[in-house]
Structures are given as C-alpha cells and as structure tokens.
Amino acid sequence: MSALDIVKTWPVDTAAVAVVDADGVRDRTGPDVALPWASVTKLLTALTVLVAVDRGDVTLDEPAGPAGSTVRHLLAHTSGVAFDEDQQLAAPGRKRVYSNRGFELLADFVLTRTGGTFAELMTESVLRPLGMGATGLEGSPAAGAVGPLSDLALLAEELLRPTLAQDLMPEATSVQFPGVSGVLPGFGRQDPNDWGLGFELRDGKSPHWTGSRNSPSTFGHFGKTGTFLWVDPVAGLACACLTDRNFGDWAAEAWPALSDAVLDEHHPTAG
C-alpha cells in the first residue's frame, strides 16, 4: 500500500498529490488539472522577488511598504500591515502579522524597478525557466496562481535543488526576525512563529500542517483552497498537494497524517 493511497480516503472530490525528490516525481496520485493554489502562490512570488534581488533590481533591506518597513519585512510578514488592508497593526519587526496585502505592496514595489505586470515578471523570472508552462498568475501576487500538480512538482524539485537565486536560498529558508510571535492561520498563535523570506518554517511549531516526522528544517506553504507544498531538506523530499475543497478541520487532520506516511515510506529514518 502506497502512502498516497491515504489521499483516496479524503473527503474531497478532486485531490492530486505528488512525492518529489531532487530528481523528480517519485510517486503521485490524482488528475493533472489546473486548480487554484491560493497562498501557495506566495512561494512563486517570493522566488520572483528573490530573482529580482539577485539581479540587483531591488535589495532586501531597502524601504518598502509602510514607514520603517523593508523588502525583508514584507517577505517575512513582519511589516505590521493587516491581512487584507493597509491598516498598520504593529511596528515593523515586532510581530508576525500574516498579510496578503503585504505581498501585494511588495509586488507593486518591485514593479517600480522592473516595469510591466507582476504576472509577466513571474512568468519571465520563475515559471518559464522552470518549465511551468501550465501555471499562471490570475489575480493577487499573494494568492492568485492557478496551475496543475505537475507544475507544483516542478517547483518542489527546484526548491530541493535550487537553480534560481541560489545564493539567496539559504537565507530565504532560515528564520528572519527570530523570536517574533504571531498567528499561523488555521493553527493559532505560535511563539515563536518562525518564517523565512516568503517561506513558512516548521521549526518547533505545534500544531502544524506538516507531519510530526518532518524535520524542523522543513519549509513551504499551504493555501486556503486545500493546497500545500512542503520541502524537507533533511529527508531530501517534498510533498505537493492540490485539492478542490477549502482548508478546514479535515485538512488539519489529514495533511500531517499523510506527511508522516510519506516520510515513513520514502525516508524511513526521518523523524
């Protein structure tokens, strides 16, 4: 029995899941149809911004967003900007305030240096180089990507063996503003609520949407539309998931169990 057989028991109409290593897909289940990625989009946006940093279009510590905030603050959800409006809820660097609006401000700022639209910039910087031809940004840079599992698996492969902004990826997947607390959507207050540059970090968070066997170095993101991508560099594995049912209690229970089963099957010494 494959770990992915668990997916067939989920209370969803459509689910597609892949287990990926640095050489590609190890196992997969479900159809390869385009579905909304919701906040998993932030991984694409973060990569797009990091490529812009790597090219010298912007720098991580220059001012962007509200007063006192920088590109780094916006990527790490510490600008203090509210979830979906311009209201300032905290001084920059004081709290982890998860913010779609912050990512929109970030995208707007990068465009002042590059021109064009953010969808065009994402395609040129990330989607085309990675061969993700069936995915596009159809809305907000915070949550508007739509694409199939095969493309999400290509993103997972890239994150396991980076080719884009390589020198920045160790920093991007390490804690920014250590010790900052905040609410992890769907899982409550975490202290600390560690985050990298657009990448959510597992570290010691509990409860969490990854498994108990995932290493503290695991990073990724999940989305409101029942999507996730985690990358465990210690295990050398990633797990990518798209569904057609919004995140809820079913996912908070099902995803960690699947993650542990995947690690048991594909990396039995994990945990």
Side-chain angles (χ1 to χ4, degrees):
M1 178 179 175
S2 165
L4 297 190
D5 287 337
I6 294 172
V7 176
K8 299 171 185 175
T9 69
W10 288 0
V12 301
D13 292 327
T14 303
V17 179
V19 180
V20 181
D21 64 19
D23 295 318
V25 175
R26 281 195 182 187
D27 196 10
R28 61 162 296 157
T29 187
D32 200 40
V33 296
L35 291 168
W37 290 17
S39 283
V40 175
T41 302
K42 291 183 176 70
L43 301 181
L44 293 175
T45 295
L47 268 182
T48 302
V49 174
L50 290 172
V51 170
V53 172
D54 194 48
R55 292 174 176 171
D57 295 326
V58 297
T59 63
L60 287 171
D61 294 312
E62 66 177 303
S69 174
T70 64
V71 170
R72 187 185 302 273
H73 285 106
L74 291 168
L75 278 168
H77 297 285
T78 54
S79 72
V81 172
F83 175 70
D84 59 359
E85 58 184 344
D86 289 332
Q87 182 182 2
Q88 189 77 8
L89 300 181
R94 297 293 183 86
K95 293 183 179 180
R96 197 82 63 184
V97 181
Y98 182 78
S99 177
N100 279 355
R101 183 60 184 147
F103 262 63
E104 292 167 352
L105 292 172
L106 176 64
D108 289 344
F109 175 76
V110 173
L111 292 180
T112 65
R113 306 294 177 78
T114 63
T117 69
F118 200 77
E120 292 168 340
L121 184 63
M122 180 183 288
T123 298
E124 180 237 333
S125 302
V126 177
L127 300 179
R128 188 176 296 130
L130 297 184
M132 297 171 61
T135 296
L137 184 64
E138 299 181 7
S140 168
V146 177
L149 179 68
S150 54
D151 277 5
L152 188 56
L154 287 172
L155 178 60
E157 188 177 343
E158 162 66 17
L159 294 175
L160 282 164
R161 184 184 291 169
T163 62
L164 303 176
Q166 282 178 291
D167 292 344
L168 289 168
M169 288 308 295
E171 184 176 5
T173 56
S174 63
V175 181
Q176 304 295 306
F177 307 99
V180 175
S181 65
V183 174
L184 177 63
F187 292 90
R189 179 162 293 279
Q190 305 276 348
D191 190 6
N193 186 17
D194 288 338
W195 222 279
L197 297 174
F199 299 88
E200 198 239 310
L201 309 180
R202 191 193 197 293
D203 284 353
K205 291 173 183 171
S206 181
H208 199 254
W209 53 276
T210 63
S212 62
R213 295 176 63 80
N214 280 94
S215 75
S217 299
T218 299
F219 61 88
H221 220 292
F222 79 90
K224 179 182 177 181
T225 52
T227 63
F228 71 76
L229 172 61
W230 59 250
V231 178
D232 190 332
V234 174
L237 290 173
C239 190
C241 170
L242 298 175
T243 79
D244 62 355
R245 181 176 180 185
N246 281 355
F247 173 84
D249 290 344
W250 74 270
E253 179 179 346
W255 291 351
L258 173 67
S259 300
D260 284 340
V262 164
L263 288 164
D264 281 340
E265 178 176 352
H266 294 278
H267 191 74
T269 60

